[in-house]
């Protein structure tokens, strides 16, 4: 049997939702970059493996109100992703765009990083809007029909097997993840400059929260929904 150190970050995150907070706080990528073992991830991040294991155990023992989505039905999980995460993304994009416009206007001349972050966030917003539309119009209805055991769920299916659109979605998640990494780098981990106004602070808080939510969103899809949908389709 695999020890926790040998398991991948994605597997640990899918099996124990309490681990997600620990990974977030240590800056360990548990969604797009979660395919490496815990031991490997700690080595790369310069973290003590023993200390990380202790934090994971502590988090696991603490009472939590977080839902374990690993045992939810697939339609239930799809509904949660759309209602909690897709709605959040759609709500936040215009709010962050408008905060960015204000900060660029006021601080762009002294802080060129916001001039660079603005087009990156705009690209991220456009990519995510198109991405969520594909999930909601094509992939998720297919998964929901399949999980409901609807006869002929493959009818009008234009992609052969569910693994094909899933591979596209995973690649788009990686593109979104790369934009987030670049924005984090440009903002020096969302550190508000000394002369930053309250709007600057609100902007960095909003983007950081957006990043946290997107990590959870992608984790639910990459590590739970997609592998289960592929396995279910194989069983038909
Ligand atoms: Fe999604
Ligand atoms: Fe997605």
């Amino acid at each position: 049997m695999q020890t926790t150190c040998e398991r991948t970050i994605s597997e640990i995150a899918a099996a124990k939702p309490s681990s997600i907070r620990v990974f977030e706080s240590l800056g360990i990528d548990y969604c797009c970059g979660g395919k490496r073992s815990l031991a490997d991830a700690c080595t790369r991040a310069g973290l003590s493996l023993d200390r990380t294991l202790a934090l994971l155990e502590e988090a696991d023992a603490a009472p939590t109100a977080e839902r374990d989505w690993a045992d939810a039905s697939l339609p239930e999980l799809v509904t949660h992703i759309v209602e909690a995460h897709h709605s959040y993304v759609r709500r936040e994009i215009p709010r962050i765009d408008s905060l960015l416009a204000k900060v660029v206007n006021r601080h762009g001349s002294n802080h060129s990083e916001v001039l660079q972050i603005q087009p990156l966030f705009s690209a991220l917003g456009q990519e995510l809007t198109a991405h969520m539309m594909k999930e909601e119009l094509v992939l998720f209805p297919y998964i929901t029909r399949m999980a409901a055991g609807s006869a002929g769920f493959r009818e009008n299916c234009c992609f052969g097997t569910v693994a094909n659109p899933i591979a596209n979605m995973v690649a788009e998640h990686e593109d979104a993840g790369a934009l987030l990494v670049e924005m984090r780098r440009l903002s020096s981990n969302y550190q508000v400059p000394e002369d930053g106004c309250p709007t600057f602070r609100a902007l960095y808080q909003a983007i950081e929260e957006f990043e946290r939510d997107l990590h959870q969103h992608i984790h639910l899809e990459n590590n739970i929904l997609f592998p289960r949908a592929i396995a279910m389709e194989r069983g038909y």
Side-chain angles (χ1 to χ4, degrees), residues 86 128 131-132 135 140 169-170 173 217-218 221-222 226:
H86 288 197
L128 285 176
H131 174 88
M132 294 188 305
E135 288 181 337
F140 289 178
M169 295 301 102
V170 169
H173 291 165
H217 175 178
I218 292 176
E221 293 175 355
N222 279 12
F226 295 168

Side-chain angles (χ1 to χ4, degrees), residues 32 35 74 78 131 134-135 138-144 146 157-174 218-234:
C32 294
K35 297 277 177 276
L74 295 190
V78 161
H131 174 88
K134 286 181 244 177
E135 288 181 337
V138 181
L139 180 57
F140 289 178
Y142 179 87
I143 292 175
T144 304
M146 172 171 71
C157 160
C158 52
F159 45 70
T161 157
V162 75
N164 292 327
I166 284 176
N168 289 336
M169 295 301 102
V170 169
E172 290 181 7
H173 291 165
E174 279 166 20
I218 292 176
H219 157 69
L220 291 176
E221 293 175 355
N222 279 12
N223 300 337
I224 301 180
L225 180 67
F226 295 168
R228 285 182 60 195
I230 289 171
M232 183 179 277
E233 193 191 54
R234 282 201 191 115

Side-chain angles (χ1 to χ4, degrees), residues 5-198:
C5 313
E6 293 164 344
R7 296 176 81 191
T8 66
I9 300 295
S10 305
E11 286 167 350
I12 298 170
K16 291 198 187 299
S18 62
S19 65
I20 290 174
R21 278 182 199 279
V22 177
F23 293 145
E24 286 279 4
S25 69
L26 296 175
I28 293 178
D29 181 357
Y30 64 93
C31 50
C32 294
K35 297 277 177 276
R36 53 181 59 107
S37 69
L38 178 66
D40 184 19
C42 286
T43 306
R44 280 168 182 263
L47 297 163
S48 149
L49 179 59
D50 288 345
R51 173 84 186 118
T52 307
L53 283 167
L55 288 171
L56 289 171
E57 269 176 39
E58 209 176 287
D60 192 31
T64 173
E66 278 166 41
R67 168 89 197 257
D68 182 357
W69 290 102
D71 55 17
S73 71
L74 295 190
E76 206 180 358
L77 180 52
V78 161
T79 303
H80 168 71
I81 288 170
V82 172
E83 288 180 355
H85 297 290
H86 288 197
S87 304
Y88 170 84
V89 169
R90 289 195 174 101
R91 213 169 46 237
E92 283 299 287
I93 288 172
R95 188 173 85 87
I96 294 175
D97 273 339
S98 113
L99 286 169
L100 259 167
K102 284 183 195 147
V103 173
V104 161
N105 192 26
R106 201 174 308 168
H107 298 276
S109 49
N110 293 334
H111 293 286
S112 61
E113 65 274 20
V114 292
L115 299 177
Q116 293 171 278
I117 289 172
Q118 191 177 37
L120 294 181
F121 187 80
S122 169
L124 179 64
Q126 284 171 26
E127 284 178 20
L128 285 176
T129 302
H131 174 88
M132 294 188 305
M133 189 86 86
K134 286 181 244 177
E135 288 181 337
E136 290 176 23
L137 294 180
V138 181
L139 180 57
F140 289 178
Y142 179 87
I143 292 175
T144 304
R145 283 199 307 274
M146 172 171 71
S150 310
F153 69 89
R154 285 194 170 95
E155 268 168 34
N156 304 321
C157 160
C158 52
F159 45 70
T161 157
V162 75
N164 292 327
I166 284 176
N168 289 336
M169 295 301 102
V170 169
E172 290 181 7
H173 291 165
E174 279 166 20
D175 294 344
L179 287 170
L180 286 169
V181 167
E182 183 57 7
M183 287 194 284
R184 179 168 277 284
R185 189 190 68 76
L186 287 166
S187 64
S188 307
N189 290 320
Y190 298 109
Q191 219 161 20
V192 181
E194 298 254 310
D195 59 344
C197 62

